[in-house]
Amino acid sequence: MNPLKVLLLGIFVGSIQLALVLPAFAAYRVYHYGILDTVALSIVLVLVLATFTPLFTSKWSDKLIALTTSGAAEHCPFTVVHEGGVRGYEEALKPGTAYVFGFEPHSALPI
């Protein structure tokens, strides 16, 4: 696999894992060191700011997001099964249009 694709896949998967680890680590710090722990408060502040910060995209960020998600799509191939017949598929999914597919139990992948 291309080293750039490995790096981009690491960014994609690492961001998901970081979103799980940081709140747990903050809760651990609050439990063991108290509610006024500086590290825990800093983590919570960063998470809150990241959650409510509006996203302004640029050509550079759009390109990075496209590269990252395309690397994830290549790493985890899937097949779309449409049960509406050939005509229903052509009407439902148009080539060249971006879609977001949800996967059970807990993920989504923009394509």
Side-chain angles (χ1 to χ4, degrees), residues 57-95:
T57 60
S58 65
K59 289 181 181 181
W60 181 84
S61 64
D62 288 344
K63 191 173 183 177
L64 179 65
I65 291 169
L67 282 171
T68 304
T69 53
S70 68
E74 288 175 10
H75 182 70
C76 305
F78 61 92
T79 303
V80 176
V81 177
H82 187 270
E83 297 177 355
V86 175
R87 182 180 173 111
Y89 173 76
E90 290 173 352
E91 292 175 4
L93 300 174
K94 296 179 180 135

